[in-house]
Amino acid sequence: MKASSCICLYDAVTTVTVPFIPVFLCGRHTGRVQLPRHLAFGSLAGFLVAFSLPPWGWWPLALIGFALLSYAILDTTRLQRFATGWAMGFVWLAMGELWMFDLTAPGYVFVFVVFGAGYGLAAVAAGSGERQRVLLPAANVIIEWLRWAWPFGGVPLATVPMTQVESPLATVLPLGGGLLLVAVTVLSGIALRLLWQRRFDHAAMTFGPVVVAVIIGVMVPNGSVIDTLDVAVVQGGGPQRTRADVCENQAVFERHVEATNTIDREVDLIVWPENVVNPIADGTPLGRCDDLFYMTEAMDRVAEVARQQNAVLIPGWFHNDGPRHNVNYSTAVNPDGETVSRYDKVRIVPFGEFVPLRGFIENFSDDVPSRDVRAGDGPAILDSDVGRFGVSISWEIFFESRGRAAIRDGGEVLINPTNGSSYWLTILQSQQVASSQLRALETGRWVLQAAPTGFSAIVSPDGELLDRTDVSEQKVLYATIERREGLTLATRFGPWPMLVLAALALAGTSLRRRDAT
């Protein structure tokens, strides 16, 4: 291989990309690691998209990343396009989901190798000519949706919509949801490439649909106000990167009672995080623990908190349910201490709350958790004296389908009790806040996110992050929010219009190519 056929990566790019992708040496005497042109461009594009994600959040970099991808796949073979797209997805997901390495190293590798290949296929489908102005957005819409839905229910992390949640493009979300935001993000990148090439007429035609979508997104209805509520979102605080320990369950609960007791004003609603009420069956022996948090005590204490605060309390529960299962749910407790509603988590976490292919995996590992969380199947709402609340517990907030289900079931506010205390770094927690912003914009609802060690947040229906805690601190967030009704177009129709348009674009171009041949 001649040195002229390769591009040397400068130190900043090499440092990030070389550990993640196959490298080739070119030039015997340079002493520098070099990559083929398509891998280099793809890696740099992935680097840019990764840094547009939370927690970094430099959203223009995603547009530059897709502009670079669009340029790099012009006049290339299918193999070169695949390598470019794969390298982009590889680096983007390896950086954007780095936290996963601490949780499951094999799962982490699977994500950026296999899902990265999906973006390689999208680049192949886009072709090497100017039809990519239609095909590259369409192919990325399909690949993003597949990643959000497969395998085991999907892994919608480090997504394109997260990169744009703070950008003007996010105003398209009430119109067409996350997939429309994917399309306009990629289109904007292609328009940027055309501007750089000084092809101004083509750039204007490419960016035109983006402008139209943004304008319509601003104009479409996003619901109306029913009434207002004074709310308190409670974060009990405590150490980060911890694992569940039955001996610590009482301490976690007490930290949230302590924080709740600092509430210094009258409120209508108090939101606690996911699984901070984590009791065990009455009569269980102490074993190695000095004390245990029993079910009867937990029920009495929760009712007492609601009565003392004279407010509706939404606590998150987690406990055993028979010999093989756990349950993860939230309840609504009225000011008189009566529990009046319960929602069991529907979308549970693969390899975290349940083990897919358990019978097969148990043949090869003795470390498989003995219990799965029993998935719920009821409507995603909690009724109370002060309103009907849509609920997306923890992982569910990453799925637009769960937010949509909660609002279609009549949710007037969207509640996200969560628990990120087990995770390394703050990448996942930052992306969860971004997901709450996406759900707020898509549904036209306020979103209240409560986490035991951070981040807790309050998000307005226009996606503005009004308040957020820091990691590990004990704090109560206050706000006056609106109960709202009505459905946005994105909530009413979901992803199907964009999926149909993307499929038609890909199929139509394929047929035209066949006719031309």
Side-chain angles (χ1 to χ4, degrees):
M1 181 181 294
K2 295 181 179 179
S4 60
S5 67
C6 299
I7 291 181
C8 294
L9 294 183
Y10 293 102
D11 292 342
V13 179
T14 304
T15 301
V16 174
T17 59
V18 167
F20 295 116
I21 61 180
V23 298
F24 298 83
L25 295 177
C26 59
R28 293 183 179 180
H29 305 295
T30 62
R32 179 177 291 179
V33 175
Q34 299 176 328
L35 301 177
R37 177 177 179 271
H38 38 280
L39 287 178
F41 274 122
S43 299
L44 181 56
F47 180 88
L48 293 169
V49 173
F51 272 100
S52 67
L53 286 164
W56 307 285
W58 301 328
W59 63 264
L61 294 183
L63 309 186
I64 300 172
F66 281 107
L68 186 58
L69 173 68
S70 172
Y71 174 77
I73 63 175
L74 289 172
D75 301 320
T76 52
T77 66
R78 287 187 178 90
L79 180 59
Q80 289 171 333
R81 291 198 299 279
F82 178 82
T84 305
W86 179 78
M88 176 183 179
F90 198 122
V91 174
W92 155 13
L93 298 177
M95 294 176 62
E97 300 190 31
L98 181 61
W99 62 272
M100 192 182 292
F101 178 81
D102 187 55
L103 183 68
T104 166
Y108 172 62
V109 174
F110 175 89
V111 161
F112 63 74
V113 172
V114 176
F115 288 156
Y119 295 100
L121 295 175
V124 172
S128 60
E130 287 303 338
R131 286 179 178 173
Q132 67 168 241
R133 285 184 288 177
V134 174
L135 297 180
L136 190 59
N140 275 275
V141 163
I142 298 294
I143 292 300
E144 279 281 282
W145 178 77
L146 286 173
R147 187 160 72 90
W148 303 351
W150 177 89
F152 313 124
V155 187
L157 303 171
T159 65
V160 173
M162 288 180 192
T163 71
Q164 300 303 302
V165 71
E166 296 286 355
S167 87
L169 299 181
T171 56
V172 306
L173 285 164
L175 174 62
L179 292 183
L180 178 57
L181 185 51
V182 172
V184 298
T185 301
V186 179
L187 269 176
S188 298
I190 296 171
L192 193 62
R193 184 262 296 176
L194 291 166
L195 279 175
W196 178 73
Q197 293 178 312
R198 306 182 68 83
R199 300 172 63 186
F200 301 116
D201 291 346
H202 291 276
M205 287 189 293
T206 302
F207 196 61
V210 176
V211 174
V212 171
V214 168
I215 292 173
I216 296 175
V218 172
M219 297 172 61
V220 296
N222 72 337
S224 58
V225 178
I226 302 172
D227 201 354
T228 60
L229 290 174
D230 293 317
V231 303
V233 177
V234 176
Q235 178 171 304
Q240 189 76 4
R241 204 182 180 190
T242 59
R243 295 291 186 262
D245 184 348
V246 67
C247 299
E248 294 297 319
N249 292 347
Q250 180 93 47
V252 172
F253 178 83
E254 296 298 344
R255 282 197 288 267
H256 286 81
V257 173
E258 179 182 290
T260 302
N261 288 338
T262 68
I263 293 175
D264 58 5
R265 65 200 73 179
E266 291 186 3
V267 296
D268 303 300
L269 173 68
I270 300 170
V271 181
W272 277 10
E274 176 191 25
N275 61 40
V276 294
V277 189
N278 195 343
I280 63 171
D282 293 347
T284 302
L286 290 178
R288 63 183 176 83
C289 304
D290 295 329
D291 196 9
L292 288 174
F293 193 34
Y294 292 111
M295 177 64 76
T296 299
E297 179 188 3
M299 295 173 67
D300 291 343
R301 294 286 303 281
V302 165
E304 180 186 4
V305 170
R307 286 193 294 267
Q308 285 181 344
Q309 297 296 328
N310 192 32
V312 170
L313 173 66
I314 297 181
W317 293 73
F318 189 94
H319 56 79
N320 295 350
D321 184 33
R324 297 285 292 176
H325 291 91
N326 298 321
V327 284
N328 185 347
Y329 61 93
S330 291
T331 58
V333 185
N334 276 340
D336 62 2
E338 181 184 2
T339 297
V340 292
S341 190
R342 167 173 164 170
Y343 166 69
D344 283 69
K345 187 176 183 180
V346 171
R347 184 61 63 89
I348 53 179
V349 183
F351 300 103
E353 293 178 316
F354 79 102
V355 180
L357 309 174
R358 174 181 287 276
F360 174 75
I361 292 175
E362 285 179 336
N363 293 324
F364 303 95
S365 175
D366 296 328
D367 297 327
V368 178
S370 60
R371 293 173 175 271
D372 288 340
V373 169
R374 191 189 304 277
D377 58 6
I381 54 170
L382 291 172
D383 283 310
S384 75
D385 282 355
V386 296
R388 170 172 283 190
F389 302 105
V391 187
S392 293
I393 296 178
S394 189
W395 172 243
E396 293 183 314
I397 200 67
F398 290 98
F399 294 84
E400 58 86 23
S401 60
R402 295 309 305 157
R404 190 171 72 251
I407 303 311
R408 289 175 65 92
D409 287 335
E412 300 161 347
V413 176
L414 186 57
I415 308 293
N416 176 226
T418 188
N419 189 342
S421 59
S422 298
Y423 299 118
W424 179 43
L425 307 174
T426 59
I427 294 173
L428 180 64
Q429 295 91 325
S430 300
Q431 291 182 12
Q432 183 160 356
V433 172
S435 294
S436 290
Q437 293 176 270
L438 292 172
R439 302 295 87 82
L441 280 158
E442 288 167 357
T443 63
R445 296 296 191 270
W446 288 78
V447 179
L448 306 178
Q449 179 176 317
T453 61
F455 298 126
S456 301
I458 296 174
V459 182
S460 69
D462 61 2
E464 183 181 358
L465 181 60
L466 298 179
D467 204 354
R468 196 202 77 177
T469 61
D470 290 327
V471 167
S472 295
E473 73 171 329
Q474 185 176 95
K475 188 173 182 179
V476 178
L477 303 180
Y478 300 98
T480 298
I481 68 169
E482 300 161 342
R483 294 167 50 213
R484 296 173 65 86
E485 63 182 357
L487 302 180
T488 64
L489 292 175
T491 304
R492 189 178 300 275
F493 297 109
W496 302 112
M498 286 304 302
L499 287 172
V500 169
L501 287 173
L504 288 175
L506 291 170
T509 303
S510 176
L511 289 173
R512 284 196 296 272
R513 283 176 178 170
R514 187 176 301 174
D515 290 343
T517 302

